[in-house]
Amino acid sequence: MKTYYYVLASQRFLLEEEPLEEVLKERTRHYHEQEKEIDFWLVKQPAFLEAPQMAQVKQACPQPAVAIISTNPQFITWLKLRLEFVKTGEFQAPSEGIVDPLASLASVA
């Protein structure tokens, strides 16, 4: 099992009110310059929120939610400081409750 860290907020807040695209582009550029593998993903309506152990987290976040998930806890801490009004946490996967850490419940149009 691997530990995944996340920043979680409503889609409206994170995708419309915050300059998230700019932040992620800059971070991607930085990773490429450092020849570092990308270790973060943006997931709309993350399926991990459906796990029983995540019920309180899901209840506390306006829906539909979006998460930035990473295996790098320092990146998530940096995002939390940059974005302020987000929830952070961690989970282990794959597990019985969370089979795919990057799964989404959003329908593909």
Side-chain angles (χ1 to χ4, degrees), residues 4 40-43 46-48 69-70 91 98-104:
Y4 292 86
F40 61 90
W41 306 269
L42 184 129
V43 180
F48 74 82
I69 302 169
S70 179
F91 60 86
I98 304 171
V99 178
D100 180 353
L102 304 178
S104 170

Side-chain angles (χ1 to χ4, degrees), residues 7-55:
V7 165
L8 181 70
S10 73
Q11 283 188 32
R12 187 172 82 68
F13 174 74
L14 210 50
L15 300 181
E16 296 173 22
E17 296 178 18
E18 286 293 320
L20 185 63
E21 183 178 358
E22 179 182 317
V23 170
L24 294 180
K25 279 183 181 179
E26 170 58 30
R27 194 63 175 190
T28 300
R29 184 187 63 74
H30 173 73
Y31 274 41
H32 287 304
E33 286 176 358
Q34 301 298 313
E35 296 181 3
K36 184 176 177 183
E37 186 176 329
I38 300 295
D39 60 4
F40 61 90
W41 306 269
L42 184 129
V43 180
K44 290 182 179 180
Q45 293 179 256
F48 74 82
L49 290 177
E50 301 303 314
Q53 68 267 31
M54 302 302 282

